[in-house]
Amino acid sequence: MAQTMSIVMLLSLIAFAPLAFSQKTGSLSPKFYDRSCPKAVEIVKSVVANAVAKETRMAASLLRLHFHDCFVKGCDASILLDSTGTLISEKRSNPNRNSARGFEVIEQIKSALEKECPQTVSCADIMALAARDSTVLTGGPSWEVPLGRRDARDASLSGSNNNIPAPNNTFQTILTKFKLKGLNVVDLVALSGSHTIGNSRCTSFRQRLYNQSGNGQPDYALDQSYAAQLKPRCPRSGGDQNLFVLDFVTPLKFDNNYFKNLLASKGLLNSDQVLVTKSEASLELVKKYANDNKAFFEQFAKSMIRMGNITPLTGSKGEIRKICRKMNK
Ligand code: HEM
Ligand SMILES: *[C@@H]1O[C@H](CO)[C@@H](O)[C@H](O)[C@H]1NC(C)=O
Ligand SMILES: *[C@@H]1O[C@H](CO)[C@@H](O)[C@H](O)[C@H]1NC(C)=O
């Protein structure tokens, strides 16, 4: 009897081993909608293409949205939910308030998909696809997006405030926040390359221009002639929301100029510049990507897949929302 039991147990262990393995390495698959909504990937791409044709910056905004979603409870579309009587929206957090954008484009994609195949494609997957499409449309690398995420029925304002790195966090704090999500220094440097496109508000880097360490001195790791160009539209006070390009050389093109800027002390955010001033490992990676666009593109694609795999809701967890800004009834 005991012997039969152990044989059964052994057999079931073998039978379930591949399942356990696939769950551990991520249960998402690029083919997830191949049968249930074969046009899903194409529909997302066409709406994103229209939005980016209207406004190039939208590519950057959609790429960032996926990041700000994934770092809070995983890639579960929690960032898209509006506040209700019982839920406080992540849209109010420090990193998102007056800053996160692209919500209408996600909603437009969702409504196109609801017409094609109702309640099939998650809002979390829409953001992952839109991030890839945005990268490609601005000249960056492509990758197959693993799919099958489901949408959260809750959000976390504190998670959004605490888990998403701030531009004035130290290098160590930023790296720790990445490590808490299972990402490493290679992912940190490659994904920071997203700042090759898009904008920042004055308020996100003002400290560097006037009072970096609380002693009334600027950040001398910032090229002072570049700083002088930034100051007129980013004064000591006022102009908080004024916009500046993150990569002043090729602001609309996804390329490795961001890394070249860092080596010239012309990274806009403190969190950009610390990649060359605070860690030897990180500096070496910046040099590598500045010299080798292909290496940057290859790693960026890999790291985006890794970021997109952060604790997705799968199986019977969560739901497929009908409208991305609201939970289903
Ligand atoms: C490493 C830590 C990071 C920090 C501290 C950081 C911080 C910031 C800040 C402060 C802005 C400007 C926001 C504003 O002023 O409104 C910004 C913009 C942006 N970030 Fe990051 N970021 C980081 C990593 C990432 C990652 C991993 C991605 C994507 C994978 C990303 C994508 C972007 C994009 C595309 C923009 C421009 C958005 C737009 O123009 O709408 N960032 N980031
Ligand atoms: C970082 O910026 C925030 C918001 O402007 C500010 O409250 C905080 O004091 C800054 N932290 C450091 C270490 O400078
Ligand atoms: C710089 O910041 C420190 C601490 O945040 C503050 O006490 C000081 O007054 C500021 N100095 C200037 C010149 O703004």
Side-chain angles (χ1 to χ4, degrees), residues 71-133:
F71 267 57
V72 184
K73 306 191 302 96
C75 313
D76 63 355
S78 59
I79 191 175
L80 301 179
L81 293 172
D82 285 337
S83 291
T84 65
T86 53
L87 181 143
I88 308 173
S89 176
E90 291 173 16
K91 295 175 188 180
R92 294 191 194 175
S93 73
N94 296 324
N96 291 337
R97 190 165 14 93
N98 297 323
S99 182
R101 59 200 294 281
F103 297 104
E104 335 72 49
V105 176
I106 300 298
E107 217 60 77
Q108 222 181 321
I109 298 168
K110 182 65 187 176
S111 80
L113 287 171
E114 286 303 289
K115 279 183 198 133
E116 176 73 20
C117 25
Q119 260 187 288
T120 304
V121 183
S122 67
C123 301
D125 280 344
I126 291 174
M127 279 191 285
L129 286 165
R132 188 273 312 270
D133 295 338

Side-chain angles (χ1 to χ4, degrees), residues 57 60-61 64 67 99 165-166 188 194-195 198-201 204 271:
R57 185 189 173 197
S61 304
R64 186 171 185 234
F67 163 50
S99 182
L188 166 60
S194 297
H195 294 171
N199 297 349
S200 167
R201 294 163 304 150
S204 300
S271 52

Side-chain angles (χ1 to χ4, degrees), residues 168 203 207 212:
N168 63 355
T203 187
Q207 196 178 349
Q212 172 73 351

Side-chain angles (χ1 to χ4, degrees), residues 49-79:
N50 276 326
V52 172
K54 264 191 218 149
E55 185 205 16
T56 311
R57 185 189 173 197
M58 190 51 73
S61 304
L62 293 171
L63 175 55
R64 186 171 185 234
L65 221 42
H66 181 47
F67 163 50
H68 283 201
D69 181 40
C70 292
F71 267 57
V72 184
K73 306 191 302 96
C75 313
D76 63 355
S78 59
I79 191 175

Side-chain angles (χ1 to χ4, degrees), residues 21 23 38 86 96 99 109 129 151 177 184 190 192-193 251 256 260:
F21 182 73
Q23 274 177 352
T86 53
N96 291 337
S99 182
I109 298 168
L129 286 165
D151 300 325
K177 288 180 177 180
N184 59 32
S192 292
N256 66 343
K260 296 179 186 173

